[in-house]
Amino acid sequence: MESKSMSNEELQEWVEHISLESFGVPFKHQARFNARLSSTGGRYFMKSHHIEINPHQLAAFGRSEVEKIIKHELCHYHLHLRGMGHRHRDADFKAWLTRVEGSRHCQTLPGRLERKPRPYRYKLVCVSCGQEYLRKRKMNPQHYRCGKCGSKLRLLALDGTP
């Protein structure tokens, strides 16, 4: 059963099995894959109690890593339903995660490291003192003032044109 892909039904059975095995309590909600997740391994929905798992993690790192992600999400699930600390910063969450050997963070998917940050494209310049503020996105300078002297700002493209 070392397949790199599986259906939502197989994922549901797997999550139910892990819940009973690691937590001793059944998982009574829905687990499904969501291919749109890009920077996270999975997520837990507090209102519906459903869990979504990133299928790219399964393809890239296999079942053992995804099992740790499932345990992470099940910690959120079971702690939330019990009214205990279910957030990442809570001691209950950290203790349960350690006990069931879940992952604190998922591995970075191949290709995500290659993304470069966008360069600065705009510059705000104070009309009074000349203080410069670099920005990646265009913004309306009429809504802002200089943090140094309080004067108006002027927006320039980094090539120098207004």
Side-chain angles (χ1 to χ4, degrees):
M1 205 164 162
E2 220 23 63
S3 171
K4 292 287 183 181
S5 67
M6 65 172 51
S7 67
N8 283 329
E9 292 78 19
E10 291 172 315
L11 175 67
Q12 180 74 32
E13 291 176 13
W14 191 21
V15 171
E16 290 171 1
H17 174 75
I18 292 171
S19 182
L20 283 173
E21 184 181 274
S22 298
F23 296 89
V25 182
F27 176 72
K28 298 180 180 179
H29 291 85
Q30 186 179 7
R32 62 182 170 255
F33 285 113
N34 183 350
R36 292 184 313 266
L37 297 176
S38 60
S39 63
T40 184
R43 67 182 166 187
Y44 164 67
F45 294 91
M46 290 173 53
K47 288 185 179 180
S48 66
H49 307 296
H50 297 324
I51 290 176
E52 289 185 344
I53 301 296
N54 186 343
H56 305 299
Q57 290 284 331
L58 181 63
F61 305 113
R63 290 178 61 92
S64 61
E65 283 302 313
V66 174
E67 184 170 337
K68 293 176 185 177
I69 293 169
I70 291 170
K71 288 179 179 179
H72 177 107
E73 301 309 326
L74 285 172
C75 282
H76 288 300
Y77 172 80
H78 290 300
L79 287 167
H80 181 245
L81 292 179
R82 292 180 184 197
M84 300 170 70
H86 60 279
R87 294 173 295 191
H88 292 126
R89 66 176 180 237
D90 294 331
D92 291 333
F93 180 81
K94 291 177 183 178
W96 276 42
L97 197 60
T98 302
R99 182 174 58 86
V100 299
E101 298 175 352
S103 64
R104 185 89 166 106
H105 304 285
C106 68
Q107 292 187 30
T108 304
L109 289 168
R112 293 235 5 125
L113 295 175
E114 298 166 9
R115 292 185 184 169
K116 295 177 184 170
R118 291 192 314 181
Y120 294 114
R121 295 173 40 196
Y122 300 98
K123 180 170 40 174
L124 293 165
V125 180
C126 176
V127 297
S128 180
C129 70
Q131 176 71 33
E132 295 181 354
Y133 302 94
L134 295 175
R135 294 290 178 262
K136 294 179 181 181
R137 294 183 179 185
K138 191 173 184 178
M139 54 188 289
N140 187 347
Q142 294 175 343
H143 295 153
Y144 301 94
R145 294 290 181 151
C146 177
K148 191 173 178 183
C149 70
S151 297
K152 292 183 178 184
L153 298 172
R154 187 176 45 156
L155 180 67
L156 300 173
L158 272 185
D159 60 9
T161 60

